[in-house]
Amino acid sequence: MIRLIVVLALFLFNGVQVADAKRVALVIGNAAYEHVPELSNPRNDAEAVSTSLERLGFDVIKGNDLKRLEFEKKVREFGRAIRGAEIALLYFAGHGLQVNGENYLVPTDTQLVDEADLDFEAIRLNTIMSQMEREPRTNLVFLDACRNNPLARNLARSMGTRSALVGRGLAPIETGIGTLITFATQPGNVALDGEGRNSPFTEAFIRHIETPDEDIAVILRRVRKEVIDNTDGKQVPWGNSSLTGSVVLNPLTDQIVRADDDNKSANVEVAYWNSIKDGTSPVYFENYLKKYPNGKFVDIAEIRISELRKARESSPQSGQTQIARLEQPSSQDLEPENPKQDRELVASIQRELNRAGCSVGTADGVWGNKTERGLKDFAGKSGIEITSLDPSAKLLEILKGVQKKVCVF
């Protein structure tokens, strides 16, 4: 099996990131092969990669269990979609093989009983690469090959004395300027399937690919180390690069935030939050609070910091278990000053403030500083006189009477 990630073509100007780059990805997971046993992980790997890429702002073209004609159709669609794109990405999980130094991706209806079948039943990797290289881009290619490929063995047997042309694993790829190629293991070797939901390489890849403000080269070094550790050194990701500048998938530098564009700033904040919301270290959320002290997710960030610290103190290994509890604040975390206040009334007021654009975070029924700040913001932006900062039915009625967003972030 090959899990191929031809990841991100990012056009660089002297190494400077482009904030509003068009991002397009083709993600394919082929598992249900008709002439060999079904594979277990390709669909899971493709789905996990798709989710990560969508969070990173990619328009993802998806396809699972594609036959030859369906595969070609997706490649054509991808070729059209990446016109003018500065980031283009292809991820393929499924069977693949090399013959005479050339790599092929295998659709689910491929049989390969003869060498001549290759041109009609398999997809040349170079065909997809040529689509990506028609415009200036930085192509990142990631190949993840399964240990057992019965299609390659069948083809080798049919070729007789020429069977040596069917290589083990995948062949090295010559790179042009602006290209990074990474194999899940050394060229000519094979990668492990793994015992979990994802392959060792893809599991590490999706764990690190959304790291905020990090260059892809640094991310791949972390992926390599994790794969080596998790496979006891049996699998060593390898690659070569001709990139001319840094490539950052999740840029968070000041240059991409425009002070005169509030809507753009709000989008950047949401993207930042999405990139760290599942983090298992308090540092992620502490950095968020520093960057967005009055942000949309301040309350949740503070709660997660508290929970993660408690989890680490009680059991250093339980971070990921604890994180599942952090979606909603508990009543003990943010107990109101007045325990007799009507939580449903407060929650209704908070929902109305959020609807008006005056974000107070989660509508948890707790009247705190964040809610009061949102109410003050509402009063200042709407011009409506608010006589008290305490929750009341009258206040809820006023808020419900406002039919538009009055607060701009």
Side-chain angles (χ1 to χ4, degrees), residues 41 131 176 219 227:
N41 284 336
Q131 295 287 328
I219 288 175
V227 173

Side-chain angles (χ1 to χ4, degrees), residues 238-312:
W238 171 95
N240 60 292
S241 171
S242 62
L243 295 179
T244 58
S246 64
V247 177
V248 180
L249 287 177
N250 192 9
L252 300 172
T253 55
D254 291 340
Q255 68 191 64
I256 69 171
V257 181
R258 298 183 179 89
D260 61 347
D261 190 340
D262 292 324
N263 288 330
K264 185 79 67 177
S265 298
N267 291 338
V268 172
E269 182 194 347
V270 171
Y272 182 78
W273 176 259
N274 286 338
S275 73
I276 60 105
K277 65 181 181 181
D278 295 324
T280 57
S281 170
V283 174
Y284 289 109
F285 305 102
E286 291 168 352
N287 288 340
Y288 169 82
L289 293 177
K290 291 178 182 178
K291 192 173 184 66
Y292 300 102
N294 298 310
K296 297 174 180 289
F297 309 102
V298 168
D299 289 342
I300 299 177
E302 291 173 345
I303 294 170
R304 291 194 174 184
I305 291 171
S306 175
E307 288 287 342
L308 287 170
R309 286 175 177 168
K310 290 178 182 177
R312 287 194 170 188

Side-chain angles (χ1 to χ4, degrees), residues 43-69:
R43 280 191 296 262
N44 298 335
D45 291 334
E47 289 169 4
V49 170
S50 293
T51 300
S52 290
L53 294 177
E54 287 171 348
R55 284 199 291 259
L56 290 170
F58 282 86
D59 295 327
V60 181
I61 301 170
K62 304 176 184 179
N64 285 330
D65 296 330
L66 300 181
K67 298 183 179 181
R68 169 71 192 226
L69 293 179

Side-chain angles (χ1 to χ4, degrees), residues 32-99:
Y33 283 90
E34 299 176 3
H35 302 288
V36 293
E38 182 169 339
L39 300 172
S40 58
N41 284 336
R43 280 191 296 262
N44 298 335
D45 291 334
E47 289 169 4
V49 170
S50 293
T51 300
S52 290
L53 294 177
E54 287 171 348
R55 284 199 291 259
L56 290 170
F58 282 86
D59 295 327
V60 181
I61 301 170
K62 304 176 184 179
N64 285 330
D65 296 330
L66 300 181
K67 298 183 179 181
R68 169 71 192 226
L69 293 179
E70 296 168 334
F71 203 134
E72 288 182 342
K73 183 178 180 181
K74 288 293 182 181
V75 173
R76 291 194 193 100
E77 181 182 352
F78 178 57
R80 290 191 294 268
I82 62 176
R83 292 172 187 167
E86 290 160 10
I87 304 179
L89 181 152
L90 167 69
Y91 175 90
F92 173 80
H95 273 310
L97 70 160
Q98 61 155 311
V99 177

Side-chain angles (χ1 to χ4, degrees), residues 54 115 126 135 155 222 288 321 387:
E54 287 171 348
E115 182 180 2
N126 284 340
E135 298 178 9
L155 181 61
R222 294 172 181 167
Y288 169 82
T321 302
T387 58

